[in-house]
Amino acid sequence: MSGFSTLVTVVALGGAVLLFVAGVGHAARPHRVRALLARQALLPSVVRIWTGRLLGATEVGVAVVVLGVVLLVPHLSTVGYALLAVTYAVLAGYAEVLRRRRPGTPCGCLAGGRSTGLPVVIRALIFAAAATTAAATAAAVAGLVGTAAEGGAVIRPGLELWLAAAVTAAAGWLVPELVSGGAVADSSGTGTSTSAR
């Protein structure tokens, strides 16, 4: 892999790992997800109920499919990365609508109470762009190599890439928290400073 394709693969895999972590958190606390969706007030109540129940399972499912395809069926990596790109594009769109319509309300992306800010939207867009580019790269590599077995040898990430993806996932989790300056949403949905903590 070239340096650029390695980088986008690392970022895309980091996004999949982060999506898995978020999904596990949401699946473990569906009542919290439903309460947060009610507070955001962007979705109709019927949709909120089902979203609260299915969000965590969907996030975990997408992440497992993406990571499983990349590991076990690398010649189909294009499909996995494309699914990840669509997922993060939807999450970015929702976060942007939330940021504009309900400023100061937390997105609950990673079970945090931080206000939804531009860093959250940018994080999702970066993962969507990386996954889109990784899908295009995987398609090009698979097309150039010719056989699935050889394509898998080229596309399958090694231990170094998985470690870099884990670091990318951790950075994806932390950077919006650090950039936000500690703004935590209060019960009214407006941001308050956490400097007194």
Side-chain angles (χ1 to χ4, degrees):
M1 277 195 238
S2 72
F4 179 72
S5 62
T6 299
L7 176 64
V8 296
T9 299
V10 164
V11 175
L13 292 174
V17 170
L18 194 61
L19 187 67
F20 180 81
V21 171
V24 168
H26 292 146
R29 293 179 294 281
H31 58 284
R32 185 171 184 204
V33 174
R34 286 192 299 274
L36 186 60
L37 290 170
R39 186 169 160 198
Q40 293 171 352
L42 291 180
L43 301 173
S45 61
V46 172
V47 175
R48 284 195 304 257
I49 291 168
W50 284 104
T51 302
R53 292 179 181 161
L54 298 176
L55 179 65
T58 302
E59 290 170 329
V60 169
V62 168
V64 166
V65 166
V66 171
L67 296 171
V69 163
V70 169
L71 275 172
L72 304 174
V73 196
H75 63 281
L76 295 179
S77 293
T78 302
V79 176
Y81 289 131
L83 177 62
L84 186 65
V86 168
T87 301
Y88 269 109
V90 168
L91 293 173
Y94 185 86
E96 178 60 14
V97 170
L98 179 63
R99 185 179 78 86
R100 289 180 180 271
R101 290 192 184 170
R102 304 272 298 151
T105 305
C107 69
C109 304
L110 294 160
R114 302 276 178 208
S115 299
T116 303
L118 192 56
V120 170
V121 176
I122 291 171
R123 172 181 61 197
L125 288 174
I126 287 171
F127 286 134
T132 300
T133 307
T137 302
V141 169
L144 288 173
V145 173
T147 68
E150 290 175 296
V154 174
I155 300 168
R156 181 174 286 135
L159 179 61
E160 307 84 22
L161 288 186
W162 286 110
L163 292 174
V167 170
T168 301
W173 183 316
L174 293 174
V175 168
E177 298 287 324
L178 298 173
V179 172
S180 72
V184 175
D186 64 20
S187 59
S188 67
T190 58
T192 59
S193 173
T194 58
S195 57
R197 272 203 214 173

